[in-house]
Amino acid sequence: KHNPEGDAHFLEDESTKNFARKVADHYSARTNQTLEEREASPIIHLKKLNNWIKSVLIQLYAKRGDAVLDLACGKGGDLIKWDKAKVGYYVGIDIADGSIEDCRTRYNGDADHHQRRKKFSFPARLMCGDCYEVRLDRILADDAPFDVCSCQFAMHYSWSTEARARRALANVSALLRPGGIFIGTMPDANVIIKKLREAEGLTFGNSVYWIRFDEEFSEKKFKSSNPFGIKYKFHLEDAVDCPEWIVPFHIFKALAEEYDFELVFVKNNHIFVDEYMKKPEFIELMRRLGALSDGNQDRSTLSPDEWEVAYLYLTFVLRKRGQPDQI
Ligand code: SAM
């Protein structure tokens, strides 16, 4: 009471930690599915579409021999994609210890029920940690510089406070070489806020997802120059059920520029799919991943509700300033 500002900061710090824990516990508790369970998922085609988007990004930006940093790597669902790109070294970090355990199991090749396969051709370092809190440049000083950093469906978990959003970008910037590439996917704030405006109350969704904003939600904060900590609850059938934060992309881009990044592109995932599905090599990849039925070159295997979820996300590519030979 004597120091309301100080108290507020203290409370914010405590609750920020609690929310990070909630996110970690949620993902940690998600056990590996059997192939049959996975195929029966109500969002199986969305999962395949997201895998296709990540594969396209990796094929476009990873080169043979690259050192890769995978922030919020989860259970290592992208390990095979990096292997196909013939990368030379991989570091994966995730806050959820259960997910890192699964990732380790998948990397070591035992009990991998998704695919029995040969060992990965690159060495890997897998760690449990909060990528938006810890000074990764200190921990990974001997592994840096990296050629590519990837943060898939996870960057928005850094947006609970400005300090965390800055730590996330500072970490990636410090670890990438000049000219290095930062690829990622995260919710598209413009789409989410548009849907909120059109909604009756603070909740909207369809048969596979819902989003619920807190009572305290304010458009003012969204439009302000300090739009951190705008929290909502996200539920996606058979995938996600935890607090998330709005990331206004123009602020993300401006902050990234402070950390020496330039924007290569940002696209809503609907646009991304429509653009890259015109390219024969990526149509073929989509067929191999099983997101399309045979001979079907449109998205008709995705239900309209799954396709609406794809619209909630965007894909970004940033490049660290400088030329590689300036190292
Ligand atoms: N990147 C993986 C993929 O595409 O399959 C996992 C995506 S999953 C939707 C989000 C991941 O972000 C979870 O594995 C979660 O544990 C991780 N995560 C959330 N907050 C994090 C943090 N502060 N530090 C590291 N990982 C975090």
Side-chain angles (χ1 to χ4, degrees), residues 193-247:
I193 298 295
K194 182 169 156 275
K195 283 184 179 288
L196 176 64
R197 283 187 194 128
E198 289 163 3
E200 296 274 308
L202 291 168
T203 308
F204 55 89
N206 64 29
S207 68
V208 293
Y209 87 97
W210 53 259
I211 285 177
R212 188 181 66 230
F213 278 82
D214 291 351
E215 292 292 336
E216 336 46 285
F217 172 78
S218 116
E219 278 269 347
K220 242 193 188 154
K221 189 157 173 65
F222 172 62
K223 288 184 176 152
S224 76
S225 58
N226 186 38
F228 301 92
I230 305 177
K231 184 161 62 66
Y232 57 89
K233 174 91 187 277
F234 182 55
H235 174 90
L236 178 61
E237 277 305 296
D238 192 38
V240 187
D241 196 40
C242 68
E244 301 200 340
W245 290 268
I246 284 286
V247 185

Side-chain angles (χ1 to χ4, degrees), residues 20 23-28 51 54 70-78 81 93-97 99 129-133 150-158 164 185 239-240 244 313:
V23 171
D25 289 347
H26 162 70
Y27 283 104
S28 249
N51 272 322
K54 293 189 289 179
D70 193 354
L71 291 187
C73 62
K75 298 165 185 292
D78 294 343
K81 303 177 186 71
I93 311 176
D94 199 283
I95 196 172
D97 48 355
S99 300
D130 186 336
C131 300
Y132 314 140
E133 189 74 44
S150 171
C151 184
Q152 303 299 339
F153 297 98
M155 198 64 199
H156 51 302
Y157 295 118
S158 73
R164 283 170 71 77
T185 39
V240 187
E244 301 200 340
Y313 289 89

Side-chain angles (χ1 to χ4, degrees), residues 56-235:
V56 170
L57 270 181
I58 290 171
Q59 287 193 15
L60 287 173
Y61 290 101
K63 292 183 306 301
R64 180 189 283 267
D66 273 357
V68 175
L69 174 62
D70 193 354
L71 291 187
C73 62
K75 298 165 185 292
D78 294 343
L79 281 169
I80 293 176
K81 303 177 186 71
W82 294 112
D83 206 30
K84 292 208 166 111
K86 301 193 166 53
V87 300
Y89 182 50
Y90 174 94
V91 175
I93 311 176
D94 199 283
I95 196 172
D97 48 355
S99 300
I100 281 294
E101 271 322 300
D102 287 348
C103 187
R104 196 160 280 135
T105 305
R106 184 168 288 176
Y107 178 76
N108 289 329
D110 39 287
D112 185 352
H113 50 256
H114 280 309
Q115 210 170 335
R116 302 244 168 249
R117 66 189 313 284
K118 66 168 179 54
K119 281 251 195 291
F120 292 95
S121 53
F122 51 82
R125 186 173 174 197
L126 305 172
M127 287 184 295
C128 184
D130 186 336
C131 300
Y132 314 140
E133 189 74 44
V134 174
R135 291 271 316 246
L136 292 181
D137 54 333
R138 291 185 182 154
I139 294 172
L140 297 175
D142 294 339
D143 308 68
F146 292 87
D147 303 290
V148 183
C149 175
S150 171
C151 184
Q152 303 299 339
F153 297 98
M155 198 64 199
H156 51 302
Y157 295 118
S158 73
W159 221 254
S160 52
T161 65
E162 181 172 351
R164 283 170 71 77
R166 283 184 178 276
R167 171 62 58 220
L169 287 165
N171 276 339
V172 181
S173 183
L175 289 166
L176 272 183
R177 66 163 167 79
I181 290 286
F182 179 23
I183 55 179
T185 39
M186 67 179 166
D188 185 333
N190 287 335
V191 172
I192 292 176
I193 298 295
K194 182 169 156 275
K195 283 184 179 288
L196 176 64
R197 283 187 194 128
E198 289 163 3
E200 296 274 308
L202 291 168
T203 308
F204 55 89
N206 64 29
S207 68
V208 293
Y209 87 97
W210 53 259
I211 285 177
R212 188 181 66 230
F213 278 82
D214 291 351
E215 292 292 336
E216 336 46 285
F217 172 78
S218 116
E219 278 269 347
K220 242 193 188 154
K221 189 157 173 65
F222 172 62
K223 288 184 176 152
S224 76
S225 58
N226 186 38
F228 301 92
I230 305 177
K231 184 161 62 66
Y232 57 89
K233 174 91 187 277
F234 182 55
H235 174 90

